[in-house]
mmCIF file of all heavy atoms in Angstrom:
data_model
loop_
_atom_site.group_PDB
_atom_site.id
_atom_site.type_symbol
_atom_site.label_atom_id
_atom_site.label_comp_id
_atom_site.label_asym_id
_atom_site.label_seq_id
_atom_site.Cartn_x
_atom_site.Cartn_y
_atom_site.Cartn_z
ATOM 1 N N LEU A 169 -170.986 -116.466 21.606
ATOM 2 C CA LEU A 169 -170.532 -116.093 22.897
ATOM 3 C C LEU A 169 -171.417 -116.422 23.955
ATOM 4 O O LEU A 169 -171.094 -116.638 25.197
ATOM 5 C CB LEU A 169 -169.904 -114.629 22.900
ATOM 6 C CG LEU A 169 -168.748 -114.370 22.197
ATOM 7 C CD1 LEU A 169 -168.379 -112.857 22.145
ATOM 8 C CD2 LEU A 169 -167.569 -115.050 22.877
ATOM 9 N N ALA A 173 -170.115 -118.592 27.037
ATOM 10 C CA ALA A 173 -170.105 -118.221 28.476
ATOM 11 C C ALA A 173 -170.979 -119.069 29.356
ATOM 12 O O ALA A 173 -170.677 -119.237 30.539
ATOM 13 C CB ALA A 173 -170.835 -116.763 28.559
ATOM 14 N N GLY A 177 -168.111 -119.350 31.523
ATOM 15 C CA GLY A 177 -168.185 -118.117 32.157
ATOM 16 C C GLY A 177 -167.715 -116.973 31.253
ATOM 17 O O GLY A 177 -167.356 -117.191 30.092
ATOM 18 N N PRO A 178 -167.573 -115.698 31.711
ATOM 19 C CA PRO A 178 -167.035 -114.681 31.046
ATOM 20 C C PRO A 178 -165.578 -114.896 30.346
ATOM 21 O O PRO A 178 -164.802 -115.469 31.051
ATOM 22 C CB PRO A 178 -166.943 -113.492 31.932
ATOM 23 C CG PRO A 178 -167.974 -113.781 33.010
ATOM 24 C CD PRO A 178 -167.818 -115.252 33.131
ATOM 25 N N VAL A 179 -165.483 -114.690 29.004
ATOM 26 C CA VAL A 179 -164.367 -115.086 28.347
ATOM 27 C C VAL A 179 -163.625 -113.836 27.958
ATOM 28 O O VAL A 179 -164.140 -112.796 27.819
ATOM 29 C CB VAL A 179 -164.602 -115.950 27.100
ATOM 30 C CG1 VAL A 179 -165.252 -117.251 27.583
ATOM 31 C CG2 VAL A 179 -165.442 -115.220 26.103
ATOM 32 N N ARG A 206 -171.526 -104.973 22.446
ATOM 33 C CA ARG A 206 -172.307 -104.275 23.364
ATOM 34 C C ARG A 206 -173.292 -105.051 24.042
ATOM 35 O O ARG A 206 -173.426 -105.138 25.280
ATOM 36 C CB ARG A 206 -173.043 -103.055 22.679
ATOM 37 C CG ARG A 206 -173.806 -102.091 23.597
ATOM 38 C CD ARG A 206 -173.050 -100.990 24.032
ATOM 39 N NE ARG A 206 -173.899 -99.948 24.630
ATOM 40 C CZ ARG A 206 -173.629 -98.597 24.355
ATOM 41 N NH1 ARG A 206 -172.695 -98.237 23.508
ATOM 42 N NH2 ARG A 206 -174.271 -97.677 24.931
ATOM 43 N N ARG A 207 -173.938 -106.013 23.286
ATOM 44 C CA ARG A 207 -174.920 -106.921 23.827
ATOM 45 C C ARG A 207 -174.154 -108.026 24.802
ATOM 46 O O ARG A 207 -174.600 -108.385 25.857
ATOM 47 C CB ARG A 207 -175.623 -107.668 22.752
ATOM 48 C CG ARG A 207 -176.402 -106.892 21.807
ATOM 49 C CD ARG A 207 -177.702 -106.356 22.367
ATOM 50 N NE ARG A 207 -177.410 -105.159 23.373
ATOM 51 C CZ ARG A 207 -177.360 -103.907 22.901
ATOM 52 N NH1 ARG A 207 -177.473 -103.603 21.528
ATOM 53 N NH2 ARG A 207 -177.104 -102.843 23.717
ATOM 54 N N CYS A 208 -172.988 -108.354 24.358
ATOM 55 C CA CYS A 208 -172.173 -109.274 25.171
ATOM 56 C C CYS A 208 -171.817 -108.709 26.578
ATOM 57 O O CYS A 208 -171.793 -109.376 27.569
ATOM 58 C CB CYS A 208 -170.911 -109.691 24.400
ATOM 59 S SG CYS A 208 -171.205 -110.825 23.039
ATOM 60 N N VAL A 209 -171.482 -107.362 26.478
ATOM 61 C CA VAL A 209 -171.270 -106.704 27.854
ATOM 62 C C VAL A 209 -172.502 -106.697 28.671
ATOM 63 O O VAL A 209 -172.368 -106.901 29.878
ATOM 64 C CB VAL A 209 -170.621 -105.341 27.569
ATOM 65 C CG1 VAL A 209 -170.500 -104.514 28.793
ATOM 66 C CG2 VAL A 209 -169.199 -105.318 26.938
ATOM 67 N N ASP A 210 -173.537 -106.335 28.020
ATOM 68 C CA ASP A 210 -174.857 -106.149 28.797
ATOM 69 C C ASP A 210 -175.201 -107.542 29.380
ATOM 70 O O ASP A 210 -175.713 -107.491 30.483
ATOM 71 C CB ASP A 210 -176.027 -105.800 27.767
ATOM 72 C CG ASP A 210 -175.876 -104.371 27.235
ATOM 73 O OD1 ASP A 210 -175.064 -103.682 27.775
ATOM 74 O OD2 ASP A 210 -176.592 -104.136 26.280
ATOM 75 N N GLU A 211 -174.739 -108.565 28.907
ATOM 76 C CA GLU A 211 -175.119 -109.863 29.531
ATOM 77 C C GLU A 211 -174.025 -110.516 30.322
ATOM 78 O O GLU A 211 -174.248 -111.763 30.771
ATOM 79 C CB GLU A 211 -175.591 -110.815 28.337
ATOM 80 C CG GLU A 211 -176.859 -110.438 27.600
ATOM 81 C CD GLU A 211 -177.270 -111.447 26.501
ATOM 82 O OE1 GLU A 211 -176.950 -112.546 26.584
ATOM 83 O OE2 GLU A 211 -178.167 -110.868 25.559
ATOM 84 N N GLY A 212 -172.906 -109.849 30.458
ATOM 85 C CA GLY A 212 -171.796 -110.375 31.130
ATOM 86 C C GLY A 212 -171.063 -111.501 30.539
ATOM 87 O O GLY A 212 -170.613 -112.371 31.350
ATOM 88 N N LEU A 213 -171.006 -111.557 29.256
ATOM 89 C CA LEU A 213 -170.370 -112.652 28.653
ATOM 90 C C LEU A 213 -168.857 -112.495 28.489
ATOM 91 O O LEU A 213 -168.159 -113.474 28.115
ATOM 92 C CB LEU A 213 -170.948 -112.796 27.067
ATOM 93 C CG LEU A 213 -172.529 -112.899 27.111
ATOM 94 C CD1 LEU A 213 -172.954 -113.042 25.592
ATOM 95 C CD2 LEU A 213 -173.005 -113.942 27.963
ATOM 96 N N LEU A 214 -168.415 -111.238 28.537
ATOM 97 C CA LEU A 214 -167.000 -110.924 28.334
ATOM 98 C C LEU A 214 -166.290 -110.574 29.682
ATOM 99 O O LEU A 214 -166.846 -109.828 30.505
ATOM 100 C CB LEU A 214 -166.857 -109.810 27.408
ATOM 101 C CG LEU A 214 -167.327 -109.984 26.015
ATOM 102 C CD1 LEU A 214 -167.176 -108.798 25.258
ATOM 103 C CD2 LEU A 214 -166.736 -111.159 25.369
ATOM 104 N N ASP A 215 -165.081 -111.023 29.780
ATOM 105 C CA ASP A 215 -164.268 -110.558 30.900
ATOM 106 C C ASP A 215 -163.481 -109.279 30.353
ATOM 107 O O ASP A 215 -162.436 -109.294 29.640
ATOM 108 C CB ASP A 215 -163.094 -111.615 31.177
ATOM 109 C CG ASP A 215 -162.130 -111.248 32.226
ATOM 110 O OD1 ASP A 215 -162.226 -110.131 32.773
ATOM 111 O OD2 ASP A 215 -161.304 -112.090 32.605
ATOM 112 N N CYS A 216 -164.085 -108.180 30.577
ATOM 113 C CA CYS A 216 -163.738 -106.789 29.915
ATOM 114 C C CYS A 216 -162.299 -106.432 30.121
ATOM 115 O O CYS A 216 -161.849 -105.780 29.249
ATOM 116 C CB CYS A 216 -164.695 -105.712 30.363
ATOM 117 S SG CYS A 216 -166.428 -106.005 29.904
#
Side-chain angles (χ1 to χ4, degrees):
L169 285 172
V179 298
R206 184 92 165 222
R207 300 288 80 83
C208 288
V209 171
D210 290 346
E211 297 181 19
L213 310 180
L214 297 177
D215 180 354
C216 292

